[in-house]
Amino acid sequence: MATTVFINEFHYDNSGADVGEFIEIAGPAGTDLTSWKLVLYNGGSGGIYDSIPLSGTITNQSNGFGTLSFSRAGIQNGPTDGFALVDPSGKVVQFLSYEGSLTATSGSAVGMVSMDIGVSESTPPPAGQSLQLTGSGNTYEDFTWSGPKTETPGGLNGGQTFVSAPLPVINLATTQASAAEAGPVLGIFTITRTGSTAAALTVAYTINAASTATSGEDFVPLPGSIEIPAGQASATIIVTPIDDDRPEGNELLFLTLANNSAYSLDSHGSGAAIAIADNDPIVKNSFFFTEDRILSIQSAAPTRLKALVTGKADSQIGEIIAISVDDAQGSIDGLLPGDTGYAAKAQENAQLLLAVLADQEFGFLTQENVLTVAGGQFLQFALLSGGSLDDLRRGGSVEMLFATSEVNPDGQSALQTTSIDLQTIDLAFRFPRGGFGDVNLRLTLGDFEMALGSQLQGKSSESEIIDLTGIGAPVVNVTMDVYREAAFDNSVGFYLIEDMQGRVRDPLTNNLLEPGEAGYVQAALANRVGVTVTGRNDQVTRYSAQIAAGHLLTTFLVVGGTVEDLLDDNANNNPMIYFNHISANSDGIDHVRTLGANLFGYEDLAGGGDRDFNDVIVQVNIASI
């Protein structure tokens, strides 16, 4: 192995009385010589006659190398005297002699035979000269002893050129690849370097995004760097699994070395993985929230998630959205919570769970919804205030607080959770200027039936839509429970649409009309189905009808008037009409919210008014015949 810290120059004899005796050490800049030593040996007995403790750190005198000189009077004049350079671990790095070789009989070099350097001061030179290495390189083996010549203690020798050493190459490997919660059984990574071990080297690493194990949740957090001590070529990273009670299956921890100017990476060994075995059996249809407030669905197949509003303590309306994310940390397409662009990505992946009314006077309502979720799916949650998901996607000013704290301006989570059992968790949300419990929700996992007709609601923008396609019967029974709390005698109805975008077919021309296009209002009303309901203030009124299946339906609100007022020949008595699809509304504002499965709330004031969405509330119940 190449010697990177070495004896570079020394002087032991001169004409007249000996003066200025010294030994110089050379090595890579940054090498700390504390705890190194020079052991001086007598050639006659092979025993130790002196020892020089070393100290100080080598500075960069040329191309990453330098020297330190140590004075010591009384260095013996030979023949066959020598000295050993010993590192902090007690290892003899060099055992050199002059005027012949010797065998050490004691000390660190006991039993070793010295190497005669081949030059000497046996004919004493004038004071101010020394024996020294010359040549070009960066290890002892690159140079040749010469002299006596003019001494340069603590500086570069005449005729000596240090060449920059190649960067150490760092390798990461797994030396104990199987860890386990039970025990726990530790996992071990080993980081190894090439080249000089004279100085300590700090190596950085990261947890690769391919990891399924979560720091602080599945294993004790790692510092992200490790020091390979001076004198050592490797160091180990110990992975300690956390024995939790969550059934999550076996997981992988994948580390990747980080680039650094102090070293280069082994192209075939810059990443390694450890498997952490779980000791909790997976229960079918179970779920839990991770440390980052991400809901992890534990199921081998798609299942259903029911959300039920259990309490409301704030005077503003809010929308709760569920966001499909890629992993337990909540990342989306490589973006972690808090990264630039994360909130925009979350909007793209969001699904409306339900809107929560502003007060609790509607005790007769059950605000609940059911979503289909995939086995192994991860969900992020957020609470919207000051607007809806539709408003947000249209560029409106809407406040959004996430369950994961890193995304929020105040750095605090919007969610507290309480696990009831493996299939039930209570959620407490907070508004931006509120407290936990502003909105309370209970999530339950199970094989729930979705309300007939509700399967498209919340899955896209403007999705207050009833889906009657795919129903075996030609006709369905519909009941509508209507509650009204408004100064206007409003009317609510439903009409046929051709697609999720709300296009209608004009019965006169057979053309498809977009929301907001000329003639849309008349075409929509011409396609209405069932009954148009009005209700009475402060009470629930039930309406019943039979409607043909096989179509998509959406809703409209006529404010302070009737459909007939809109369709007659008198343009002066036309009331305002608002639709689910915002482009069809004259004020460009959302006037309908999904409060639950087939449960819709309406706002009757132009421009959004007080945005309470309780002027009319309609619960639609559908049963096939």
Side-chain angles (χ1 to χ4, degrees), residues 123-136:
T123 300
Q129 294 196 356
S130 68
L131 306 177
Q132 52 194 261
L133 291 175
T134 58
S136 177

Side-chain angles (χ1 to χ4, degrees), residues 392-526:
L392 191 65
R393 286 171 168 165
R394 292 169 65 89
S397 178
V398 180
E399 291 188 278
M400 178 164 54
L401 282 186
F402 287 82
T404 303
S405 59
E406 288 83 356
V407 198
N408 298 328
D410 61 4
Q412 302 296 316
S413 173
L415 176 65
Q416 288 182 342
T417 66
T418 303
S419 293
I420 306 303
D421 54 42
L422 291 175
Q423 287 86 27
T424 308
I425 301 177
D426 284 342
L427 279 56
F429 289 90
R430 68 176 178 92
F431 283 111
R433 285 157 292 281
F436 293 108
D438 288 343
V439 179
N440 295 321
L441 205 67
R442 171 162 287 189
L443 295 182
T444 309
L445 204 65
D447 297 325
F448 300 106
E449 291 289 334
M450 296 188 74
L452 196 62
S454 67
Q455 50 267 38
L456 295 179
Q457 292 163 22
K459 290 189 175 180
S460 64
S461 296
E462 304 169 325
S463 59
E464 284 77 15
I465 290 172
I466 293 176
D467 182 7
L468 298 182
T469 63
I471 296 176
V475 177
V476 293
N477 282 329
V478 177
T479 61
M480 289 180 280
D481 292 330
V482 181
Y483 177 87
R484 197 178 80 190
E485 186 185 83
F488 300 110
D489 289 328
N490 299 319
S491 301
V492 170
F494 292 84
Y495 63 99
L496 302 178
I497 55 175
E498 298 294 320
D499 51 33
M500 292 285 289
Q501 288 69 47
R503 294 191 297 175
V504 297
R505 190 167 298 281
D506 187 336
L508 298 178
T509 65
N510 204 38
N511 293 331
L512 284 178
L513 299 179
E514 303 278 349
E517 193 173 348
Y520 184 87
V521 172
Q522 291 74 19
L525 295 178

Side-chain angles (χ1 to χ4, degrees), residues 286-333:
S286 65
F287 61 175
F288 62 89
F289 274 92
T290 70
E291 186 179 64
D292 294 309
R293 298 290 197 279
I294 302 299
L295 185 66
S296 175
I297 306 295
Q298 301 293 308
S299 176
T303 185
R304 297 278 169 76
L305 180 68
K306 181 170 75 173
L308 171 68
V309 177
T310 56
K312 181 75 164 54
D314 196 275
S315 60
Q316 59 184 313
I317 190 170
E319 278 194 355
I320 299 171
I321 60 174
I323 303 155
S324 180
V325 295
D326 298 334
D327 52 38
Q329 291 76 43
S331 68
I332 306 174
D333 295 341

